[in-house]
Amino acid sequence: MAMVEAELMEEVAAWRRAIHADPEFGFEVQDTAAFVAGKLRSFGVDVTEGVGGTGVVGVLRKGNGPLRIGLRADMDALQITEQNVFDHVSRRPGYMHACGHDGHTAMLLGAARILAREVDFDGIVTFVFQPAEEHGRGAGAMIDDGLFERFDIDEIYAVHNYPEWPLGTLATRAGPAKASEDNFEIRLVGKGGHAARPHMLNEALVAGCQLVVALQTIVSRRADPLEHAVLSVTEFVTDGIRNVLPGNVTIRGDVRSFTPKTQELVEGQIRQISAGIAATFGLTESVDYSHEFAATTNSPAETERAYAAARAVRGMTLVADCPPVMASDDFGLMLQHRPGNYAFLGNGTDSYPLHNPLYDFNDRAIPFGVGYFVELVRQFSAG
Ligand SMILES: [Zn+2]
Ligand SMILES: [Zn+2]
């Protein structure tokens, strides 16, 4: 690596640690957005702030060619109390960058600087910094605010740091890379009362237990075995106490899958089984079912571009056609509007897991992530 490049990487690592020390949550990423906007302006990038609340969009134009590429990073942290003790530990109690979005933001800034100052391309590169990835609202807010109308983006790319992959690895695939996430809430309502007199009541707990068991049959007996799906009941809440049978049961859970067809099937089955069990036990029921994250589905041509870019980065190991994961990313919604690719960037196998209070983005991944973004743009210049 050239000396000047090594110096820049050290600077990017310093930005990363500064962002890590000042984690912000959801749409409330004002400090991070201001930091991003300031850096982009200092590189000569045109900056629009406040896109979808606190999103930042940077536009870099060179020449009049047809290139219209978008590169996206997420800026938000998590509501987790950090347990690390290093110098750049979170200065905001109860918040930390436990998903490495500090690294994503810093790496995209590093790429912006190299593309602005050192790389020739012919067209427009758009840098998209989104808020509120973790709860899956930021991408939609930016899209609703005209991300793809106000800015010229024909295809869009993102990376996520990943502890399971060795340092220097870029792993991706065509087709589904990350799952959709849906949530459900089922309410059963009967008549609660004295625990010694169930025959005088219509309590909801036993029916609720049967419902939890019946829900387990949706993936095992109804979903196509070749379509991946996970249905997890995560909460069972009643208004019963020691000697009172509950009249109300609320069951909540989480569904992951890769296709709208499976999402529809699971939702339909949850509604049918809930209605059936409620009818069997003479209860009333209601079901709320919400789509929280779209599946992240990579398009084939752009994935080939991602493969080529990864091969061009010095020292990078490409894992093509990697396995998908059942976690979700808000970037999936952007891929419903434009073709593109989402890739996993190795954070090292000695890394703590994502969302762990001891997590820290690996600064040694920075040259790979920055290099990958730069090479994505260079693919076009190479024709
Ligand atoms: Zn996360
Ligand atoms: Zn994340």
Side-chain angles (χ1 to χ4, degrees), residues 78 99 101 133-134 160 355:
L78 284 150
C99 204
H101 298 183
E133 187 286 321
E134 289 290 351
H160 202 296
H355 293 200

Side-chain angles (χ1 to χ4, degrees), residues 174 299-309 311 341 379:
S299 51
E302 287 67 27
T303 298
E304 287 300 323
R305 194 100 74 191
Y307 289 166
R311 287 192 191 101
N341 177 274
Q379 295 307 306

